[in-house]
Amino acid sequence: MVNKLSSGKLSKAHKRSPSGLVLIDFSLKSLFWRQWRNEGTLDTDCCLGVLAMSETESMLVEEEENRSNPAGEAAEAAMNDEEQQSYSWPVIQFNSPPQRTYHFYNQFRTGPNPNNFFKGVKWSPDGSCFLTSSEDNSLRRFNLPDYGNDVSGNVAGEEDSFTSNLVVGEGESVYDFCWYPYMSASDPVTCVFASTTRDHPIHLWDAASGELRCTYRAYDAMDEITAAFSISFNPAGTKAREWLFGCLMMSSCMNGVLFILHRVMSKIAYKVIIVVCVIFAGAFEVDVSNWSPFSPNGFQSVLTGATVVFFAYVGFDAVANSAEESKMRIFDLHRPGRDFGQHSTLQGNKEGQTGIISAIAFSPTHNGMLALGSYSQTTGIYREDNMELLYVLHGQEGGITHIQFSKDGNYLYTGGRKDPYILCWDIRKSVDVVYKLYRSSEHTNQRIFFDIEPCGQHLGTGGQDGFVHVYDLQTGQWVTSFQAAQDTVNGFSFHPYMPMTVTSSGHRRFIGPDNDDGDLCLRGDENCASVWSFNFASSGDGDAINTN
């Protein structure tokens, strides 16, 4: 049966799912905006509708529509154009502070890790839920209450507004995660997201049930699994049912460790000679009674200690940036396993982009351009079809941690670790920085995400000061700020359709030797996630609508 609609039109005709059912997908954008403006809430029955029928029944429906609509596809296209023209994005009014609608922190402190901080948060493409990543190697999905959580938000008390609808546990630290770009709650086939973790293949998860759909495994020259540092879906395909023909792109560092060791040891050969001399000089003062037991904690502890000393002396940035090359691997979604295409970021003459590829962004205008950020403080612009390097952008003070194209695809925004500025590049010129957007991130190693609103006019970013800063992208000027937490705001994401945002906060904390009980004494606005609502007006109206 079809859910009844109180308003709105069908955005398209029937969509056939792989199982043979016929799906009707309603214009979510128009319905979201209309009901949010009129009532301030959403009703699932008014936003989603699915019609399941047999093949014969679907053919009869199509024949009936053809008889009643002789214009055929032309009339359907005209209806879609009219629907798009009638829809107007909500214009967020940044001159007034937002209201905290929902708040979460308690459910992240029940595990053994006392400092289970957030690593990022992202809205789903259809706006029905958001996904968080945390230090406990878990991904949590939170549905908006109008999508099945019939609860009232609790932001003033000691309890969370509501619990997560899904918790997916990974085996190791989560490096990156991303939604399928055409995910829709009305089509269960598209409700998936991908994640990559340390020493594990890429996982494609079912966002509804939490089941593992499939894995994509990358192997190096030694036939060992290579973990991806960053992943992203390409924007190919215009219909949700074509998702199986998309691509999943990952980046990893290849042939790096042996090359790093060779370069480091060759540069400090004279220091090694000094160390050997010290060893021989001190050999006569060795107390052999301490050799029993020789390795009380096993050989694994020896390797761990050697690794810690090596990274402490050389530094992680030196190790990451000295890697010989990085490999970009492209997987077809309908072919899980170890089959992939591979491209190097270095040319035959060893010119190109070095270091670990830590961020991936596709141009939203489908112009075939792709941007890759590296820990070597560079951003490369490539062609998507053959991964040809067009040019490399230099100027970031730290390793690139997040990149994003503007809505028109003409500008690129890059941010780095321990870098207080987000740089704006005009990719049509790619010579000088257009302007810089300040954020407080000089003294934190935490990866800080930023986002651009659906209208493409403003950018929001967090910082270690707990504030969210909003900038006008046309002028590069600061617009407003509001305090979202008492610690580092590392995640920020605009809702794709409504005047809402979600933030996540937290950073790594170390318990000092004087703290015997190991209690961090965290407050409710630390290591937390919050949903915020803004005042807004439609694109054609000048009067603001207060949602507070």
Side-chain angles (χ1 to χ4, degrees), residues 103-108 152 154 157-163:
H103 189 59
F104 316 93
Y105 69 96
N106 274 322
Q107 55 193 293
F108 297 92
S152 59
N154 179 20
E158 297 296 330
E159 300 296 330
D160 291 355
S161 298
F162 50 87
T163 59

Side-chain angles (χ1 to χ4, degrees), residues 122-366:
K122 297 179 181 179
W123 281 106
S124 63
D126 69 343
S128 62
C129 57
F130 60 88
L131 192 66
T132 65
S133 173
S134 51
E135 177 64 9
D136 60 352
N137 307 334
S138 297
L139 298 164
R140 291 174 172 85
R141 191 200 79 227
F142 292 84
N143 287 356
L144 287 182
D146 300 291
Y147 280 84
N149 292 331
D150 194 12
V151 298
S152 59
N154 179 20
V155 296
E158 297 296 330
E159 300 296 330
D160 291 355
S161 298
F162 50 87
T163 59
S164 60
N165 300 85
L166 177 69
V167 179
V168 175
E170 289 280 11
E172 291 288 345
S173 177
V174 178
Y175 286 152
D176 196 9
F177 64 99
C178 62
W179 286 98
Y180 172 65
Y182 297 101
M183 177 267 185
S184 175
S186 62
D187 189 357
V189 178
T190 64
C191 292
V192 294
F193 63 88
S195 65
T196 175
T197 58
R198 182 175 54 195
D199 300 331
H200 283 70
I202 298 173
H203 293 156
L204 189 69
W205 299 96
D206 190 311
S209 63
E211 297 179 356
L212 181 62
R213 291 250 185 121
C214 52
T215 61
Y216 302 89
R217 301 183 295 274
Y219 288 82
D220 57 14
M222 304 300 295
D223 203 36
E224 296 180 351
I225 292 181
T226 301
F229 289 95
S230 55
I231 56 176
S232 177
F233 289 95
N234 75 328
T238 57
K239 297 181 180 179
R241 63 177 179 177
E242 296 178 354
W243 74 282
L244 290 176
F245 301 98
C247 295
L248 183 66
M249 181 167 287
M250 61 167 284
S251 66
S252 60
C253 180
M254 293 296 299
N255 303 326
V257 176
L258 294 179
F259 184 79
I260 294 166
L261 293 177
H262 172 72
R263 292 186 62 177
V264 172
M265 296 304 295
S266 63
K267 290 182 178 180
I268 60 173
Y270 69 96
K271 296 182 181 179
V272 175
I273 297 176
I274 296 176
V275 171
V276 173
C277 294
V278 172
I279 292 176
F280 276 102
F284 301 98
E285 304 297 330
V286 174
D287 186 359
V288 296
S289 62
N290 295 328
W291 291 1
S292 180
F294 184 76
S295 181
N297 296 323
F299 185 69
Q300 182 64 32
S301 62
V302 176
L303 292 179
T304 303
T307 303
V308 172
V309 173
F310 175 75
F311 278 97
Y313 176 74
V314 178
F316 176 78
D317 289 339
V319 174
N321 297 335
S322 300
E324 172 67 10
E325 59 180 333
S326 290
K327 297 290 186 180
M328 298 299 303
R329 293 181 172 88
I330 303 175
F331 293 87
D332 286 337
L333 292 184
H334 73 291
R335 298 181 61 185
R338 56 183 299 169
D339 295 332
F340 53 84
Q342 183 170 280
H343 300 275
S344 175
T345 59
L346 289 180
Q347 310 300 327
N349 54 2
K350 299 302 179 182
E351 293 183 356
Q353 193 176 12
T354 61
I356 296 176
I357 302 300
S358 53
I360 305 174
F362 289 89
S363 175
T365 57
H366 300 268

Side-chain angles (χ1 to χ4, degrees), residues 66-85:
N66 291 334
R67 288 194 298 267
S68 62
N69 185 13
E73 296 182 356
E76 178 185 346
M79 184 184 66
N80 292 336
D81 293 340
E82 180 183 355
E83 187 72 23
Q84 291 292 336
Q85 292 176 2

